[in-house]
Structures are given as structure tokens and as C-alpha cells.
């Protein structure tokens, strides 16, 4: 996990138990736990030419663990596309929508398009697939991004990376 230190939680969200079989655990996603407190964030660490982050795996299609349609274009996307969702602060009220970021990890670099927000302010509800809020330092990536970085199978899930605006 990446230690950021520059962005403090903006609040707490109390978890609610998801309805039976409603939490999508695809890609090792976690489900909210009843009564557990989750940090929420309206900020993310400052973006630089080499911003440290945690890369996570996300599905962007219907019925996948990413929840609903993407924030930038109100569409679902294929996991063969080089696409990402960014934590709320980095998503910056859609200012990075449809722009590209460079992701550096596993000795490789890939260019991916920002299509969605990994919501750091809300979670534990139907719109968020009954998953907790995202952390403040997440780049949530498609299978294609992980492929391009040369990370396959069980090695996928969480990886420290650096990213920058392309």
C-alpha cells in the first residue's frame, strides 16, 4: 500500500451489510461490513511528474465490479481498452475525463485513458456495488492496462506504481 501523508480523511462512512448476493467480489473487491467505519476523501496527494499510487484491478463493463456506467461518458467499456478510474481528488471534478495518463510499473510504461472516478467520498450502496469508498491514491485499471504492464493472473490486484498526466 502507498503511504501518502498529504491528504487527510474528510469524513467517515458507516458500512451497511449488502443485500444477499449483491456485493460483486470480482477482482478480489471487498464488500462493506455492517457497522465498520470507512475513511472518505475529497482530496488526493498532489500530482507531479511522478505521482506515487496504488494500481488496482477494475471491470468497466455491465455487471462487473466497477458498478455502473463510467462518469466521463456514461458508457460501459470493454476490459481490452487501456482505461482507468482515478480517486476522487485526482479525477478532479471530471477535469481529467477522456485525457491520458502514463502509468509506470513493473519496469514498463503504458498510456491509458481516464474514463471514470474511483469514488473516495461514497460507498457501501448499490451505486458503488456495495464496496467501500476508494482510497485517496488509487488508479483503478482495466485488464488491458495490467496486460500492458506485464502482470498476469494471481499477481494482479494491487501494485505500487507511479503515474503522470500524458
Amino acid at each position: 500500500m502507498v503511504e501518502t501523508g498529504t491528504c487527510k480523511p474528510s469524513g467517515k462512512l458507516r458500512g451497511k451489510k449488502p443485500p444477499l448476493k449483491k456485493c460483486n467480489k470480482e477482482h478480489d473487491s471487498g464488500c462493506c461490513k455492517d457497522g465498520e467505519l470507512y475513511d472518505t476523501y475529497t482530496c488526493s496527494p498532489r500530482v507531479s511528474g511522478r505521482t506515487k499510487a496504488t494500481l488496482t484491478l477494475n471491470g468497466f463493463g455491465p455487471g462487473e465490479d466497477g458498478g455502473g456506467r463510467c462518469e466521463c461518458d456514461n458508457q460501459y467499456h470493454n476490459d481490452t481498452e487501456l482505461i482507468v478510474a482515478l480517486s476522487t481528488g485526482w479525477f478532479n471534478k471530471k477535469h481529467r475525463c477522456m485525457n491520458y495518463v502514463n502509468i509506470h510499473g513493473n519496469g514498463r510504461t503504458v498510456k491509458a485513458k481516464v474514463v471514470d472516478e474511483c469514488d473516495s467520498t461514497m460507498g457501501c450502496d448499490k451505486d458503488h456495488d456495495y464496496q467501500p469508498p476508494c482510497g485517496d491514491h488509487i488508479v483503478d485499471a482495466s485488464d488491458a492496462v495490467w496486460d500492458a504492464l506485464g502482470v498476469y493472473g494471481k499477481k494482479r490486484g494491487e501494485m505500487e506504481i507511479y503515474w503522470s498526466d500524458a
Side-chain angles (χ1 to χ4, degrees):
M1 243 2 209
V2 173
E3 292 297 321
T4 58
T6 59
C7 181
K8 305 290 183 211
S10 55
K12 299 271 187 194
L13 183 135
R14 186 171 301 280
K16 300 173 206 147
K17 185 178 178 183
L20 192 61
K21 297 183 181 181
K22 291 295 181 184
C23 180
N24 189 330
K25 295 181 183 179
E26 186 179 24
H27 299 134
D28 293 326
S29 296
C31 298
C32 290
K33 295 185 176 125
D34 198 34
E36 188 164 325
L37 290 176
Y38 298 96
D39 287 334
T40 59
Y41 298 88
T42 55
C43 60
S44 289
R46 186 178 61 80
V47 174
S48 67
R50 192 170 156 86
T51 306
K52 197 173 187 179
T54 298
L55 188 72
T56 56
L57 181 58
N58 188 43
F60 293 86
E64 292 191 281
D65 61 321
R69 297 174 187 269
C70 293
E71 279 292 312
C72 294
D73 59 4
N74 198 34
Q75 300 292 315
Y76 289 110
H77 288 267
N78 192 306
D79 293 329
T80 59
E81 295 177 64
L82 294 168
I83 53 176
V84 297
L86 298 177
S87 291
T88 297
W90 289 336
F91 188 67
N92 194 16
K93 298 177 183 155
K94 296 189 178 184
H95 283 91
R96 285 199 168 83
C97 272
M98 309 315 274
N99 291 323
Y100 288 86
V101 294
N102 292 316
I103 299 167
H104 312 279
N106 198 39
R108 297 185 182 187
T109 299
V110 63
K111 187 175 175 181
K113 186 191 302 185
V114 177
V115 296
D116 205 2
E117 174 183 16
C118 191
D119 198 339
S120 306
T121 65
M122 301 290 291
C124 300
D125 58 13
K126 182 180 178 184
D127 288 346
H128 298 90
D129 233 2
Y130 299 100
Q131 297 171 9
C134 266
D136 65 337
H137 58 280
I138 300 296
V139 176
D140 210 10
S142 66
D143 282 315
V145 170
W146 286 86
D147 287 345
L149 293 173
V151 181
Y152 305 100
K154 298 233 180 248
K155 293 183 179 179
R156 292 182 180 188
E158 269 192 21
M159 181 172 81
E160 286 193 19
I161 53 122
Y162 290 93
W163 74 275
S164 61
D165 290 309

